[in-house]
Amino acid sequence: MKAVKAYAAQSAESPLAPWHLDRREPGAEDVEIEILFCGVCHSDIHTARNEWRGTVYPAVPGHEIVGKVTRVGDSVTRFKAGDTVGVGCFVDSCGHCSNCNDYLEQYCENGHTQTYNSLSQDKKSITLGGYSTHIVVRERFVLNVSDKLPLANVAPLLCAGITTYSPIKHWNVKKGDKLAVLGLGGLGHMAVKIASSMGAEVTVLSRSKSKEKDAKRLGATHFKITSDPEVMKSLAASFNFIIDTVSADHDYNEYLALLRSNGVMILLGAPPNPADVSAFQLIGGRRSLVGSLVGGTKETQEMLDYCAEHNITSDIELINIDQINEAYERTLKGDVHYRFVIDMKSLK
Ligand code: NAP
Ligand code: ZN
């Protein structure tokens, strides 16, 4: 066990503050990583503040990790000390159910282990995430990261990137499809970049007029303000797909009405409370309301390689770890352009 520096929430009400945690010695299949950068996902805030209930304290968030390998176990074949690697939202799973066999570890039938606030596979401990100087992860969940791209901007691909890439691929979004992205934050801005790179005609639906110029720069063709009822009316039955990234409770029916027949609304945002959905919004146009969770290891590697090839990274604001509480407040206000990333040097 190695004691490392971290930032933790000690309760739902307390700000994040310095803490120490113990990382295990790398076992035969483990990779030990020195963390260089960690992105700040809205899920970190939901968890730190117990908005999804079930947070175990002290909680150390962080699942958009890029770093350098420091040590590897005897059975590790894909990595060696000095390699640049990434770790996303998962660090373990059963490894033998049908979903794990298909590299859909995020849907492990026996319960995956997320990077933080999650039961380890030996059922003995709760995981602690990337707001720390080092992490030890099973080889299967470690990704290759190209040195070609700026590493701080790559970190958010490990969650925001794969969470948007996976449904775009799964629902076969293609050239010419009319796709709306609801909410231009961390996930939303990656959805715009990835969907537009694949040829979709992207519309950003946002509350924030100030984001219009950025939306177009990121690859959107259109930008529409959701708070204007006339605008919403004019968009009825417009889209083949809506990617909903909103983190707060909202009315899905309003947006289902914007789908064409056979359209698909993909929920990525995870608001704390259940929502009411009118059957008529679905029946009327044979519409689908679906959800998607991050992505498996194979697809995450595919996404990282795709982004390296197409020069896609996240637009970030680099912060020191002592700015994390301020970054949370700004994220809650929608004032993020478009992902905060912690420079982990500031914790050493
Ligand atoms: P984020 O950076 O805070 O972006 C969310 C965006 O939603 C905001 O920038 C804002 O965009 C919009 N928004 C926020 N509050 C709103 C409200 N009350 N009404 C309408 N729009 C609102 O968050 P994120 O990191 O992208 O994460 C978004 C959600 O996805 C979170 O719930 C997170 O937990 C979840 N998530 C899910 C997965 C998955 O696997 N499905 C993975 C990661 C994260 P505008 O200013 O443009 O309106
Ligand atoms: Zn995330």
Side-chain angles (χ1 to χ4, degrees):
M1 296 273 253
K2 178 170 173 178
V4 305
K5 287 185 181 178
Y7 252 56
Q10 299 290 339
S11 77
E13 291 76 35
S14 56
L16 275 84
W19 190 56
H20 278 86
L21 60 85
D22 289 326
R23 293 296 186 200
R24 66 176 183 268
E25 282 297 312
E29 293 175 18
D30 284 336
V31 177
E32 183 191 67
I33 299 159
E34 179 191 1
I35 301 175
L36 299 177
F37 299 103
C38 184
V40 178
C41 177
H42 206 114
S43 303
D44 301 357
I45 306 178
H46 291 304
T47 302
R49 300 189 174 185
N50 199 23
E51 289 170 2
W52 289 332
R53 296 148 195 113
T55 301
V56 178
Y57 295 96
V60 178
H63 59 202
E64 293 183 338
I65 297 167
V66 167
K68 291 267 180 213
V69 174
T70 44
R71 287 190 287 172
V72 298
D74 290 344
S75 316
V76 170
T77 56
R78 289 166 47 231
F79 302 102
K80 58 179 188 327
D83 287 352
T84 306
V85 293
V87 177
C89 301
F90 303 96
V91 288
D92 217 344
S93 67
C94 84
H96 55 72
C97 70
S98 66
N99 283 335
C100 285
N101 286 338
D102 288 342
Y103 294 95
L104 294 167
E105 300 94 339
Q106 74 274 36
Y107 306 120
C108 172
E109 289 159 16
N110 297 306
H112 56 232
T113 300
Q114 299 203 11
T115 305
Y116 59 76
N117 197 46
S118 192
L119 194 59
S120 61
Q121 290 293 308
D122 63 10
K123 316 286 181 221
K124 288 189 185 148
S125 57
I126 298 292
T127 53
L128 300 162
Y131 298 3
S132 55
T133 57
H134 295 76
I135 192 165
V136 178
V137 179
R138 270 186 58 199
E139 177 179 23
R140 175 171 178 153
F141 292 84
V142 180
L143 290 313
N144 281 296
V145 167
S146 158
D147 279 316
K148 272 201 295 194
L149 299 173
L151 296 184
N153 302 66
V154 168
L157 301 183
L158 275 307
C159 171
I162 182 60
T163 300
T164 49
Y165 180 91
S166 182
I168 286 170
K169 294 291 279 195
H170 179 77
W171 277 281
N172 192 25
V173 173
K174 53 189 187 314
K175 199 170 159 51
D177 281 340
K178 292 183 194 311
L179 178 144
V181 175
L182 177 58
L184 194 63
L187 265 54
H189 93 293
M190 290 313 307
V192 173
K193 289 189 182 205
I194 292 170
S196 63
S197 78
M198 293 179 182
E201 181 185 317
V202 176
T203 301
V204 166
L205 304 174
S206 169
R207 307 165 299 172
S208 312
K209 180 77 186 140
S210 60
K211 294 180 182 173
E212 176 161 7
K213 227 167 107 194
D214 285 344
K216 304 256 171 85
R217 178 178 53 78
L218 295 166
T221 309
H222 313 282
F223 180 89
K224 303 286 177 185
I225 285 291
T226 49
S227 51
D228 183 338
E230 285 308 310
V231 170
M232 291 294 278
K233 226 188 308 162
S234 73
L235 291 174
S238 294
F239 303 113
N240 305 107
F241 297 97
I242 297 175
I243 296 187
D244 181 343
T245 74
V246 172
S247 49
D249 296 333
H250 58 292
D251 182 7
Y252 296 143
N253 300 293
E254 263 188 68
Y255 301 100
L256 284 168
L258 309 190
L259 287 176
R260 300 161 72 101
S261 42
N262 300 318
V264 184
M265 176 154 150
I266 302 162
L267 298 185
L268 299 182
N273 297 303
D276 284 329
V277 174
S278 158
F280 293 99
Q281 287 295 357
L282 300 173
I283 292 169
R286 195 164 61 187
R287 296 165 171 142
S288 306
L289 178 62
V290 301
S292 181
L293 178 67
V294 198
T297 51
K298 210 169 174 177
E299 195 172 43
T300 304
Q301 191 62 59
E302 178 189 306
M303 176 276 312
L304 286 168
D305 297 344
Y306 177 88
C307 288
E309 191 185 326
H310 292 82
N311 210 14
I312 295 174
T313 57
S314 173
D315 285 28
I316 68 157
E317 220 176 296
L318 196 63
I319 59 168
N320 288 334
I321 194 134
D322 61 5
Q323 295 170 283
I324 187 69
N325 295 300
E326 186 191 328
Y328 276 17
E329 290 311 318
R330 283 187 48 200
T331 302
L332 288 166
K333 284 193 221 136
D335 176 21
V336 43
H337 309 277
Y338 280 87
R339 197 58 136 187
F340 289 108
V341 172
I342 307 163
D343 185 346
M344 225 34 94
K345 273 203 305 289
S346 59
L347 184 58
K348 282 167 192 155

